[in-house]
Amino acid sequence: MIVVTGAAGFIASCLVTRLNAANFNDIVVVDNFTSERKLANLTGKHLREYVDREGFFEWLETHHQQVEFIFHLGARTDTTEQNRDVLNVLNLEYSKQMWLACCKYQLPLVYASSAATYGSGTLGYSDDDALLPLLRPLNPYGDSKNDFDNWAVQQPAKPFFWAGLKFFNVYGPNEYHKGRMASVILHAFRQIQDTGSMTLFRSHNPEYADGEQQRDFVYVKDVVEVCFFLLHNRRNSGIYNLGTGEARTFLDLTLSTFAALDRTADIRFRDTPEDIRDTYQYFTQADMSKLRGIGYDRPFTRLEDGISDYVRNYLVPGQYY
């Protein structure tokens, strides 16, 4: 069996689809299954069992001998969450419990970290372990992810194989439920369909013109390919960046969305909301040399191609992956 936590969510549900495509059908999905909108992400998939996240460790105690691999992708992913108690419970303490269980039962583990750990990027975007204690995230969400990364590398007991993946700006199908935290592509698609225009955040940094803020946007299908690679290459444990290695502007992204819809571009700007203005990242770009160095050689999808696939094959027809 393969366990996937956060399975009704965006990235994890796409991973389940990738696993099913490779005939891995003995999948145990773990989540809080109370959200009807998220459950649609799992419709039609081949699954062994649904396990509520609150009862997972009790379930694992009984079934661990049947488990081959754990993908721990469940987390509180709202980057505007200010309740550190919630983040500590869901992102830090639950992950510690998962780590210790994998050590106890000798199970390989891949878990979700985040590029939010890099904060303003003043130290760059290298996934070298030596930088971990020096990173200063800009919000409590980033702190919770960085706290676990630091805790993990300091543990004397480790799973025989483990990898933490620092996801950069992931976009793609199965994020319909994410609301404000959905990718800018989904917001652009909805705005363009509704109004014919798209409004981006104005730059409040004199080094960047409006719309020229840059992020490393990575297609979710590439993300799950890396997870699949790690499932089959259980060597070289560590923390790895997962982006494309190329920063692109929000203007590039928005123009590509208009193009995928065959619409004339109409881009406007508004002030960045005050609650995120001071913690807004103006540039992110993953250093991908570490992952490449362990043998991952697949090319990453160009932004234009990823947006075209996402918009035309999923958003327009309202399909799931």
Side-chain angles (χ1 to χ4, degrees):
M1 290 187 289
I2 295 176
V3 171
V4 181
T5 75
F10 167 38
I11 297 172
S13 64
C14 290
L15 175 59
V16 172
T17 297
R18 179 65 180 89
L19 292 169
N20 281 172
N23 291 319
F24 288 92
N25 299 320
D26 211 10
I27 299 175
V28 175
V29 292
V30 181
D31 210 324
N32 173 358
F33 296 106
T34 58
S35 170
E36 291 293 329
R37 293 197 69 195
K38 286 174 66 177
L39 285 177
N41 284 338
L42 294 176
T43 300
K45 292 175 170 53
H46 299 289
L47 306 171
R48 166 73 172 262
E49 190 174 350
Y50 288 74
V51 178
D52 187 87
R53 75 179 181 215
E54 295 297 327
F56 171 68
F57 294 107
E58 183 178 350
W59 177 94
L60 186 63
E61 186 176 355
T62 303
H63 297 89
H64 64 88
Q65 290 183 329
Q66 300 164 269
V67 175
E68 178 188 352
F69 204 99
I70 294 181
F71 288 100
H72 177 38
L73 305 182
R76 176 68 166 172
T77 59
D78 186 346
T79 60
T80 65
E81 176 65 73
Q82 296 300 310
N83 188 330
R84 289 181 181 269
D85 290 337
V86 169
L87 292 165
N88 281 336
V89 168
L90 296 179
N91 292 3
L92 182 57
E93 296 305 326
Y94 196 96
S95 297
K96 288 181 179 180
Q97 196 173 355
M98 184 69 74
W99 178 279
L100 295 174
C102 288
C103 291
K104 179 179 179 180
Y105 303 127
Q106 281 300 289
L107 297 172
L109 171 69
V110 167
Y111 73 87
S113 182
S114 171
T117 57
Y118 289 115
S120 63
T122 53
L123 296 177
Y125 296 92
S126 168
D127 44 14
D128 186 335
D129 286 357
L131 289 177
L132 289 174
L134 306 176
L135 297 177
R136 296 293 179 266
L138 296 174
N139 54 42
Y141 166 77
D143 284 335
S144 70
K145 291 296 189 178
N146 194 49
D147 287 346
F148 181 71
D149 287 343
N150 276 284
W151 180 88
V153 298
Q154 293 168 15
Q155 293 311 294
K158 295 179 171 62
F160 76 87
F161 171 74
W162 65 275
L165 298 177
K166 291 198 177 198
F167 297 136
F168 278 66
N169 284 73
V170 186
Y171 68 94
N174 297 13
E175 59 169 343
Y176 297 110
H177 65 282
K178 287 179 66 67
R180 185 181 180 185
M181 289 298 109
S183 73
V184 179
I185 295 127
L186 179 55
H187 289 301
F189 170 78
R190 288 173 171 166
Q191 280 193 38
I192 294 165
Q193 294 287 71
D194 290 346
T195 69
S197 65
M198 172 59 184
T199 302
L200 295 174
F201 291 153
R202 185 172 288 113
S203 173
H204 299 272
N205 182 332
E207 294 182 16
Y208 294 85
D210 292 343
E212 295 291 338
Q213 303 97 316
Q214 298 180 59
R215 299 283 177 84
D216 192 332
F217 300 103
V218 58
Y219 198 25
V220 71
K221 291 184 180 181
D222 292 330
V223 168
V224 300
E225 286 299 333
V226 172
C227 291
F228 195 73
F229 168 82
L230 294 171
L231 173 66
H232 292 288
N233 294 268
R234 303 175 191 185
R235 303 180 300 277
N236 306 110
S237 294
I239 295 175
Y240 295 93
N241 282 335
L242 214 178
T244 65
E246 181 183 7
R248 300 291 302 273
T249 71
F250 282 97
L251 281 177
D252 291 336
L253 178 152
T254 308
L255 290 170
S256 294
T257 307
F258 275 104
L261 286 166
D262 297 316
R263 303 282 287 269
T264 301
D266 182 355
I267 301 172
R268 306 171 188 192
F269 297 93
R270 69 181 178 92
D271 286 347
T272 304
E274 290 191 9
D275 66 330
I276 64 172
R277 191 178 301 176
D278 292 339
T279 60
Y280 188 83
Q281 291 175 304
Y282 278 81
F283 177 87
T284 66
Q285 181 171 280
D287 177 346
M288 295 301 296
S289 57
K290 192 172 174 183
L291 184 67
R292 293 301 194 192
I294 65 167
Y296 188 77
D297 58 6
R298 289 177 64 101
F300 287 96
T301 305
R302 290 178 65 249
L303 181 65
E304 290 80 2
D305 297 333
I307 290 176
S308 178
D309 180 53
Y310 180 26
V311 170
R312 293 174 177 171
N313 295 320
Y314 299 96
L315 292 181
V316 170
Q319 295 296 309
Y320 289 80
Y321 177 63

